[in-house]
Amino acid sequence: MFKTMMARIKQGYRTVPFPDGKVSLPERFRGLPRVDGSRCVEGCTKCVEACPTGAISHEDRDVRLDLGRCLFCDDCRRECPQETIRFTREHSLSVFRREELVMRDNAIPRSAAVDENIKKLFGRSLKLRQVSAGGCNGCEMDTNVLGTIVFDLGRFGIQFVASPRHADGILVTGPVTKNMRLALQKTYDAVPPPKLVIALGACAISGG
């Protein structure tokens, strides 16, 4: 026990300074893409062909990237000599509507502000029931780590709860398989109104 306490003291303060300080991200991190159709060469569809999920559409230099399908795999950038699509280190990506995730010509898919009604209802406390609806555990690992001392999601009043009856909404990960469809519906029904539904990751947003 003493060794554990000493190790913890040596580590010092580990919680990231978000949102007031600079967020330290690994070098391999890929954030919000930038799409610039003016760079395209007529007839070139290399980025479309390289995309494994069909997230990119291309017509007469009108390049569209669907972040609801994008896996941030970087195949499009590697295959395109003009670098029509480039990845930045911007980590803020959430939106309220599905159509806002379709990017074109450097448009930033980000909701300007939280709806006032949502802020009024859930601004000080948000309890979520996380449902893994057939996922690969990638997004699930990301949600689990949010409770550690590094991220400490609880300091924002956001917590994951065991029962949907204690929740303000559900956080869905995974493509919603046939075996999980009924369980997800029952979980949603058990959350008392008003309630939120958050789709996390390409699988939950577009089926994977």
Side-chain angles (χ1 to χ4, degrees):
M1 183 65 180
F2 180 73
K3 289 182 179 180
T4 302
M5 292 175 62
M6 289 302 297
R8 182 65 190 89
I9 291 172
K10 287 182 179 179
Q11 289 176 5
Y13 189 78
R14 299 293 299 275
T15 306
V16 294
F18 178 85
D20 298 324
K22 182 180 179 181
V23 178
S24 178
L25 299 168
E27 288 298 321
R28 295 175 59 189
F29 176 80
R30 299 188 193 109
L32 179 69
R34 296 291 190 191
V35 180
D36 187 357
S38 66
R39 291 171 171 260
C40 285
V41 175
E42 187 175 352
C44 178
T45 58
K46 289 184 177 180
C47 60
V48 178
E49 296 165 4
C51 183
T53 60
I56 305 172
S57 61
H58 186 301
E59 185 177 351
D60 296 330
R61 295 189 177 182
D62 181 14
V63 182
R64 299 190 184 190
L65 173 61
D66 184 354
L67 292 182
R69 292 179 176 272
C70 181
L71 300 177
F72 293 73
C73 65
D74 202 35
D75 286 356
C76 55
R77 185 197 62 80
R78 288 197 298 264
E79 291 297 321
C80 177
Q82 288 77 34
E83 292 191 344
T84 298
I85 299 173
R86 292 168 292 168
F87 289 89
T88 70
R89 298 181 64 77
E90 173 58 57
H91 59 84
S92 181
L93 297 169
S94 61
V95 296
F96 284 108
R97 290 176 290 275
R98 174 69 178 88
E99 57 270 22
E100 292 177 353
L101 286 173
V102 180
M103 292 186 64
R104 56 186 296 186
D105 290 333
N106 289 324
I108 300 177
R110 189 184 309 146
S111 295
V114 176
D115 182 271
E116 284 302 318
N117 290 329
I118 294 177
K119 187 181 291 186
K120 183 177 180 180
L121 289 168
F122 308 114
R124 293 182 178 273
S125 176
L126 181 62
K127 312 297 182 185
L128 297 171
R129 176 66 171 98
Q130 196 269 321
V131 180
S132 177
C136 68
N137 281 335
C139 293
E140 290 81 357
M141 285 192 293
D142 284 340
T143 57
N144 287 342
V145 79
L146 293 176
T148 64
I149 59 172
V150 176
F151 298 98
D152 190 16
L153 196 65
R155 64 195 162 117
F156 302 113
I158 304 172
Q159 293 179 323
F160 294 111
V161 294
S163 171
R165 300 191 185 281
H166 301 157
D168 300 308
I170 58 176
L171 178 70
V172 184
T173 58
V176 189
T177 61
K178 289 182 179 179
N179 289 341
M180 281 301 298
R181 180 178 178 179
L182 180 59
L184 179 60
Q185 183 65 56
K186 286 185 175 181
T187 302
Y188 174 81
D189 292 340
V191 177
K195 50 191 167 185
L196 296 172
V197 177
I198 301 171
L200 173 63
C203 292
I205 295 170
S206 64

